[in-house]
Amino acid sequence: MRLIIAAVGRLKDGAERDLLEKYRDRFAPLAKRLGLAPVVWHEIGESRAATPGKRCEEEGAALLKLARDAEFLIALDERGKPLTSEAFAKTLARTRDGGAKAAGIVIGGPDGLSQAVRDRAQLQLALGGITLPHGLARIVLAEQLYRAATILGGHPYHRA
């Protein structure tokens, strides 16, 4: 199953980008072995529309276009359902084992996600009860993808 990750906002070079790359690099070989690859990471620029609603609408359309092939879409949203790492891993495995050719995960910008994205998503997932900047949310997602792969692969990284 192919994974498509699309996020609003571009990370600058530096600590955030380095940490994201660390977890992406750790995840890649495990993802391939577990049938969660290839993994494609997209960044789109923030909309410059005048209103938050219009920005969300434009960004949402761009995210949905990038994830158009996803048969299962996860939208990261602070109002979403919180899952444990184990439950997240099971969701990925269940989607893969259910025959999906592609799954997508989208991260909105500072104004959040459009209703169109929320409506299209089969799962709205909260990374916790706090709001994270999009760059940090991307890093947390990358670590959780790596953690999910270690759980599914029986690797001792996840000890909880």
Side-chain angles (χ1 to χ4, degrees):
M1 175 178 77
R2 196 165 55 106
L3 283 179
I4 304 159
I5 295 127
V8 174
R10 301 192 192 281
L11 290 182
K12 295 177 183 159
D13 288 337
E16 280 185 342
R17 172 86 48 200
D18 293 345
L19 195 52
L20 176 66
E21 293 298 329
K22 173 184 172 180
Y23 286 111
R24 283 174 46 172
D25 291 348
R26 285 182 176 184
F27 177 57
L30 288 171
K32 187 174 183 178
R33 194 167 348 127
L34 293 167
L36 299 173
V39 182
V40 181
W41 294 77
H42 297 283
E43 292 181 333
I44 62 169
E46 292 179 22
S47 168
R48 295 180 179 262
T51 66
K54 187 67 174 161
R55 287 191 294 271
C56 283
E57 188 178 304
E58 288 179 1
E59 292 165 355
L63 291 170
L64 290 174
K65 183 176 180 181
L66 289 170
R68 67 185 166 273
D69 295 334
E71 296 162 75
F72 187 82
L73 185 67
I74 299 170
L76 296 187
D77 190 302
E78 66 183 1
R79 295 166 289 207
K81 180 179 182 180
L83 294 179
T84 65
S85 295
E86 293 91 346
F88 180 61
K90 286 179 186 174
T91 298
L92 291 175
R94 201 170 35 251
T95 303
R96 175 200 62 200
D97 297 346
K101 290 182 172 81
I105 304 173
V106 296
I107 302 172
D111 297 307
L113 292 168
S114 68
Q115 190 60 48
V117 171
R118 284 196 204 95
D119 291 344
R120 166 71 172 79
Q122 284 80 12
L123 172 63
Q124 291 181 45
L125 175 66
L127 294 176
I130 58 174
T131 303
L132 297 172
H134 60 81
L136 190 52
R138 220 172 311 172
I139 293 164
V140 172
L141 173 62
E143 191 279 337
Q144 284 300 299
L145 285 167
Y146 172 66
R147 184 176 295 273
T150 64
I151 290 167
L152 296 173
H155 186 279
Y157 176 77
H158 179 74
R159 296 186 186 108

